[in-house]
Amino acid sequence: KNMTMESLEKVLRPKVLGAWNLHNLTLEQNLDFFVLYSSATTLIGNPGQGNYVLANYYLEALAKYRVESGLKALAVSWDAISDVGYLARNQDFKSRFTEKLGIEGITSEQAFDKLEKLLLGTEAHAVVIKPKWSKMKRALPIANSGVFSEVMHGLDDDDIYEGEDILVLLDGLSDSEK
């Protein structure tokens, strides 16, 4: 609602152009890895920051495009990293964020462990998230959709979800199931 073209471009430009330039510059190289860091917000949304969600979704789409073109790529949609960066420096915000949205975050050690496992796989995209499902369902409407019953099946609030792209889960569901 309050998004301007300027605020959209400010977030999109660096991620889109940066990733696209890396893609083009490495086309002729036999890479072992091409990893793009996305955000779990492409799965759950981020109220008021559609520009951020869109920029990260582009990274996921680029990874899929590369893999379909026979190139290496992995986009990881990360949960908030709780022990470094903005959340670690802003404990009050982190507490409100966790309480309101039910997003606990993962530690940098957990992220590196998951990344190592993902690099051994063949997926173009993976989601790594550790939400408090009960809180998330109250705060974010999408968490009540049918696809999340599949994601949440067998997980409790202490588990880290590492799984398929949300579009894979949505594929084949009827509109009423979504």
Side-chain angles (χ1 to χ4, degrees):
K1 178 177 172 179
N2 296 325
M3 185 76 54
T4 65
M5 185 57 85
E6 182 182 347
S7 63
L8 182 65
E9 286 182 4
K10 183 178 181 180
V11 173
L12 280 177
R13 184 174 306 280
K15 283 192 181 231
V16 170
L17 290 179
W20 185 250
N21 286 337
L22 283 173
H23 161 72
N24 281 322
L25 291 169
T26 61
L27 282 173
E28 302 300 320
Q29 297 180 21
N30 185 19
L31 301 176
D32 291 326
F33 306 106
F34 186 93
V35 181
L36 300 162
Y37 279 21
S38 180
S39 167
T41 61
T42 60
L43 176 71
I44 59 174
N46 193 357
Q49 293 194 353
N51 52 357
Y52 180 72
V53 174
L54 181 60
N56 283 297
Y57 187 76
Y58 173 83
L59 300 179
E60 296 164 16
L62 178 59
K64 183 177 179 184
Y65 170 76
R66 284 182 58 91
V67 169
E68 288 173 353
S69 299
L71 300 168
K72 298 280 186 176
L74 168 65
V76 182
S77 298
W78 293 108
D79 197 342
I81 308 295
S82 61
D83 60 341
V84 295
Y86 185 82
L87 290 181
R89 290 188 310 269
N90 297 280
Q91 290 297 314
D92 288 341
F93 177 81
K94 179 181 174 183
S95 295
R96 290 191 313 272
F97 180 75
T98 300
E99 185 59 35
K100 182 178 180 185
L101 297 179
I103 298 171
E104 283 289 304
I106 59 175
T107 66
S108 53
E109 183 178 349
Q110 289 170 319
F112 281 121
D113 288 345
K114 294 296 179 184
L115 180 60
E116 182 178 18
K117 182 178 176 185
L118 292 170
L119 288 173
L120 296 173
T122 59
E123 296 297 321
H125 177 233
V127 177
V128 178
I129 186 171
K130 183 184 177 184
K132 294 290 187 188
W133 294 111
S134 56
K135 287 182 183 178
M136 183 180 283
K137 287 179 83 170
R138 286 192 307 268
L140 298 169
I142 193 169
N144 292 296
S145 69
V147 72
F148 276 91
S149 62
E150 170 112 8
V151 171
M152 293 186 291
H153 180 72
L155 296 178
D156 63 33
D157 283 349
D158 293 323
D159 290 328
I160 297 175
Y161 173 74
E162 173 198 323
E164 297 179 80
D165 183 331
I166 189 72
L167 297 177
V168 172
L169 294 173
L170 286 170
D171 191 40
L173 293 180
S174 69
D175 286 343
S176 64
E177 292 174 307
K178 294 177 188 175

PDB file of all heavy atoms in Angstrom, residues 69-87:
ATOM      1  N   SER A  69      18.798 -25.161 -16.688  1.00  0.00           N
ATOM      2  CA  SER A  69      19.714 -24.926 -17.809  1.00  0.00           C
ATOM      3  C   SER A  69      20.970 -25.788 -17.713  1.00  0.00           C
ATOM      4  O   SER A  69      21.899 -25.625 -18.494  1.00  0.00           O
ATOM      5  CB  SER A  69      20.127 -23.448 -17.844  1.00  0.00           C
ATOM      6  OG  SER A  69      19.002 -22.629 -18.028  1.00  0.00           O
ATOM      7  N   GLY A  70      21.013 -26.678 -16.723  1.00  0.00           N
ATOM      8  CA  GLY A  70      22.154 -27.573 -16.564  1.00  0.00           C
ATOM      9  C   GLY A  70      23.317 -26.974 -15.788  1.00  0.00           C
ATOM     10  O   GLY A  70      24.425 -27.513 -15.814  1.00  0.00           O
ATOM     11  N   LEU A  71      23.080 -25.868 -15.095  1.00  0.00           N
ATOM     12  CA  LEU A  71      24.122 -25.201 -14.316  1.00  0.00           C
ATOM     13  C   LEU A  71      23.929 -25.472 -12.826  1.00  0.00           C
ATOM     14  O   LEU A  71      22.829 -25.784 -12.389  1.00  0.00           O
ATOM     15  CB  LEU A  71      24.087 -23.694 -14.569  1.00  0.00           C
ATOM     16  CG  LEU A  71      24.300 -23.264 -16.019  1.00  0.00           C
ATOM     17  CD1 LEU A  71      23.947 -21.795 -16.186  1.00  0.00           C
ATOM     18  CD2 LEU A  71      25.724 -23.545 -16.448  1.00  0.00           C
ATOM     19  N   LYS A  72      24.975 -25.314 -12.067  1.00  0.00           N
ATOM     20  CA  LYS A  72      24.896 -25.459 -10.611  1.00  0.00           C
ATOM     21  C   LYS A  72      24.157 -24.269 -10.017  1.00  0.00           C
ATOM     22  O   LYS A  72      24.344 -23.134 -10.444  1.00  0.00           O
ATOM     23  CB  LYS A  72      26.288 -25.513  -9.991  1.00  0.00           C
ATOM     24  CG  LYS A  72      27.131 -26.666 -10.436  1.00  0.00           C
ATOM     25  CD  LYS A  72      26.763 -27.906  -9.689  1.00  0.00           C
ATOM     26  CE  LYS A  72      27.737 -29.011 -10.080  1.00  0.00           C
ATOM     27  NZ  LYS A  72      27.542 -30.203  -9.357  1.00  0.00           N
ATOM     28  N   ALA A  73      23.347 -24.547  -9.007  1.00  0.00           N
ATOM     29  CA  ALA A  73      22.693 -23.468  -8.258  1.00  0.00           C
ATOM     30  C   ALA A  73      21.934 -24.047  -7.074  1.00  0.00           C
ATOM     31  O   ALA A  73      21.405 -25.156  -7.128  1.00  0.00           O
ATOM     32  CB  ALA A  73      21.730 -22.682  -9.128  1.00  0.00           C
ATOM     33  N   LEU A  74      21.915 -23.264  -6.019  1.00  0.00           N
ATOM     34  CA  LEU A  74      21.124 -23.564  -4.834  1.00  0.00           C
ATOM     35  C   LEU A  74      20.723 -22.232  -4.219  1.00  0.00           C
ATOM     36  O   LEU A  74      21.572 -21.386  -3.955  1.00  0.00           O
ATOM     37  CB  LEU A  74      21.939 -24.365  -3.814  1.00  0.00           C
ATOM     38  CG  LEU A  74      21.331 -24.503  -2.417  1.00  0.00           C
ATOM     39  CD1 LEU A  74      20.032 -25.316  -2.450  1.00  0.00           C
ATOM     40  CD2 LEU A  74      22.338 -25.110  -1.449  1.00  0.00           C
ATOM     41  N   ALA A  75      19.438 -22.050  -4.026  1.00  0.00           N
ATOM     42  CA  ALA A  75      18.938 -20.902  -3.276  1.00  0.00           C
ATOM     43  C   ALA A  75      18.407 -21.434  -1.948  1.00  0.00           C
ATOM     44  O   ALA A  75      17.628 -22.385  -1.925  1.00  0.00           O
ATOM     45  CB  ALA A  75      17.831 -20.175  -4.028  1.00  0.00           C
ATOM     46  N   VAL A  76      18.848 -20.839  -0.858  1.00  0.00           N
ATOM     47  CA  VAL A  76      18.397 -21.260   0.462  1.00  0.00           C
ATOM     48  C   VAL A  76      17.563 -20.124   1.056  1.00  0.00           C
ATOM     49  O   VAL A  76      18.043 -19.003   1.184  1.00  0.00           O
ATOM     50  CB  VAL A  76      19.570 -21.592   1.404  1.00  0.00           C
ATOM     51  CG1 VAL A  76      19.043 -22.079   2.756  1.00  0.00           C
ATOM     52  CG2 VAL A  76      20.488 -22.628   0.781  1.00  0.00           C
ATOM     53  N   SER A  77      16.331 -20.443   1.391  1.00  0.00           N
ATOM     54  CA  SER A  77      15.445 -19.487   2.050  1.00  0.00           C
ATOM     55  C   SER A  77      15.646 -19.637   3.552  1.00  0.00           C
ATOM     56  O   SER A  77      15.091 -20.531   4.182  1.00  0.00           O
ATOM     57  CB  SER A  77      13.983 -19.770   1.681  1.00  0.00           C
ATOM     58  OG  SER A  77      13.805 -19.616   0.297  1.00  0.00           O
ATOM     59  N   TRP A  78      16.464 -18.750   4.107  1.00  0.00           N
ATOM     60  CA  TRP A  78      16.858 -18.853   5.507  1.00  0.00           C
ATOM     61  C   TRP A  78      15.848 -18.221   6.440  1.00  0.00           C
ATOM     62  O   TRP A  78      15.264 -17.186   6.142  1.00  0.00           O
ATOM     63  CB  TRP A  78      18.192 -18.141   5.743  1.00  0.00           C
ATOM     64  CG  TRP A  78      19.360 -18.779   5.086  1.00  0.00           C
ATOM     65  CD1 TRP A  78      20.035 -18.300   4.010  1.00  0.00           C
ATOM     66  CD2 TRP A  78      19.993 -20.011   5.453  1.00  0.00           C
ATOM     67  NE1 TRP A  78      21.062 -19.154   3.695  1.00  0.00           N
ATOM     68  CE2 TRP A  78      21.057 -20.209   4.558  1.00  0.00           C
ATOM     69  CE3 TRP A  78      19.762 -20.953   6.460  1.00  0.00           C
ATOM     70  CZ2 TRP A  78      21.893 -21.314   4.631  1.00  0.00           C
ATOM     71  CZ3 TRP A  78      20.595 -22.051   6.529  1.00  0.00           C
ATOM     72  CH2 TRP A  78      21.639 -22.224   5.626  1.00  0.00           C
ATOM     73  N   ASP A  79      15.709 -18.822   7.571  1.00  0.00           N
ATOM     74  CA  ASP A  79      15.053 -18.224   8.715  1.00  0.00           C
ATOM     75  C   ASP A  79      15.952 -17.078   9.186  1.00  0.00           C
ATOM     76  O   ASP A  79      17.091 -16.933   8.730  1.00  0.00           O
ATOM     77  CB  ASP A  79      14.940 -19.284   9.822  1.00  0.00           C
ATOM     78  CG  ASP A  79      13.939 -18.945  10.902  1.00  0.00           C
ATOM     79  OD1 ASP A  79      13.550 -17.770  11.044  1.00  0.00           O
ATOM     80  OD2 ASP A  79      13.555 -19.876  11.632  1.00  0.00           O
ATOM     81  N   ALA A  80      15.470 -16.297  10.117  1.00  0.00           N
ATOM     82  CA  ALA A  80      16.327 -15.280  10.730  1.00  0.00           C
ATOM     83  C   ALA A  80      17.486 -15.984  11.427  1.00  0.00           C
ATOM     84  O   ALA A  80      17.302 -17.031  12.051  1.00  0.00           O
ATOM     85  CB  ALA A  80      15.523 -14.469  11.742  1.00  0.00           C
ATOM     86  N   ILE A  81      18.678 -15.417  11.296  1.00  0.00           N
ATOM     87  CA  ILE A  81      19.846 -15.949  12.003  1.00  0.00           C
ATOM     88  C   ILE A  81      19.928 -15.184  13.323  1.00  0.00           C
ATOM     89  O   ILE A  81      20.123 -13.973  13.341  1.00  0.00           O
ATOM     90  CB  ILE A  81      21.139 -15.787  11.185  1.00  0.00           C
ATOM     91  CG1 ILE A  81      20.966 -16.364   9.767  1.00  0.00           C
ATOM     92  CG2 ILE A  81      22.313 -16.421  11.913  1.00  0.00           C
ATOM     93  CD1 ILE A  81      20.748 -17.842   9.690  1.00  0.00           C
ATOM     94  N   SER A  82      19.735 -15.883  14.415  1.00  0.00           N
ATOM     95  CA  SER A  82      19.487 -15.225  15.699  1.00  0.00           C
ATOM     96  C   SER A  82      20.724 -14.723  16.442  1.00  0.00           C
ATOM     97  O   SER A  82      20.612 -13.841  17.283  1.00  0.00           O
ATOM     98  CB  SER A  82      18.705 -16.177  16.608  1.00  0.00           C
ATOM     99  OG  SER A  82      19.448 -17.357  16.841  1.00  0.00           O
ATOM    100  N   ASP A  83      21.885 -15.280  16.127  1.00  0.00           N
ATOM    101  CA  ASP A  83      23.056 -14.924  16.933  1.00  0.00           C
ATOM    102  C   ASP A  83      24.057 -14.013  16.227  1.00  0.00           C
ATOM    103  O   ASP A  83      25.118 -13.711  16.762  1.00  0.00           O
ATOM    104  CB  ASP A  83      23.763 -16.181  17.447  1.00  0.00           C
ATOM    105  CG  ASP A  83      24.254 -17.097  16.336  1.00  0.00           C
ATOM    106  OD1 ASP A  83      23.765 -16.980  15.192  1.00  0.00           O
ATOM    107  OD2 ASP A  83      25.117 -17.948  16.617  1.00  0.00           O
ATOM    108  N   VAL A  84      23.736 -13.552  15.047  1.00  0.00           N
ATOM    109  CA  VAL A  84      24.575 -12.592  14.324  1.00  0.00           C
ATOM    110  C   VAL A  84      23.666 -11.601  13.591  1.00  0.00           C
ATOM    111  O   VAL A  84      22.488 -11.853  13.397  1.00  0.00           O
ATOM    112  CB  VAL A  84      25.518 -13.279  13.293  1.00  0.00           C
ATOM    113  CG1 VAL A  84      26.529 -14.170  13.972  1.00  0.00           C
ATOM    114  CG2 VAL A  84      24.722 -14.052  12.269  1.00  0.00           C
ATOM    115  N   GLY A  85      24.220 -10.495  13.193  1.00  0.00           N
ATOM    116  CA  GLY A  85      23.474  -9.544  12.387  1.00  0.00           C
ATOM    117  C   GLY A  85      22.493  -8.706  13.189  1.00  0.00           C
ATOM    118  O   GLY A  85      22.652  -8.500  14.396  1.00  0.00           O
ATOM    119  N   TYR A  86      21.482  -8.241  12.492  1.00  0.00           N
ATOM    120  CA  TYR A  86      20.534  -7.283  13.051  1.00  0.00           C
ATOM    121  C   TYR A  86      19.854  -7.797  14.324  1.00  0.00           C
ATOM    122  O   TYR A  86      19.761  -7.083  15.319  1.00  0.00           O
ATOM    123  CB  TYR A  86      19.485  -6.903  12.003  1.00  0.00           C
ATOM    124  CG  TYR A  86      18.555  -5.824  12.475  1.00  0.00           C
ATOM    125  CD1 TYR A  86      18.932  -4.485  12.409  1.00  0.00           C
ATOM    126  CD2 TYR A  86      17.305  -6.128  13.018  1.00  0.00           C
ATOM    127  CE1 TYR A  86      18.101  -3.478  12.859  1.00  0.00           C
ATOM    128  CE2 TYR A  86      16.468  -5.134  13.469  1.00  0.00           C
ATOM    129  CZ  TYR A  86      16.868  -3.810  13.396  1.00  0.00           C
ATOM    130  OH  TYR A  86      16.035  -2.821  13.852  1.00  0.00           O
ATOM    131  N   LEU A  87      19.364  -9.024  14.289  1.00  0.00           N
ATOM    132  CA  LEU A  87      18.657  -9.558  15.463  1.00  0.00           C
ATOM    133  C   LEU A  87      19.576  -9.677  16.678  1.00  0.00           C
ATOM    134  O   LEU A  87      19.158  -9.402  17.796  1.00  0.00           O
ATOM    135  CB  LEU A  87      18.020 -10.910  15.162  1.00  0.00           C
ATOM    136  CG  LEU A  87      16.820 -10.897  14.218  1.00  0.00           C
ATOM    137  CD1 LEU A  87      16.276 -12.308  14.046  1.00  0.00           C
ATOM    138  CD2 LEU A  87      15.741  -9.959  14.691  1.00  0.00           C
TER     139      LEU A  87
END
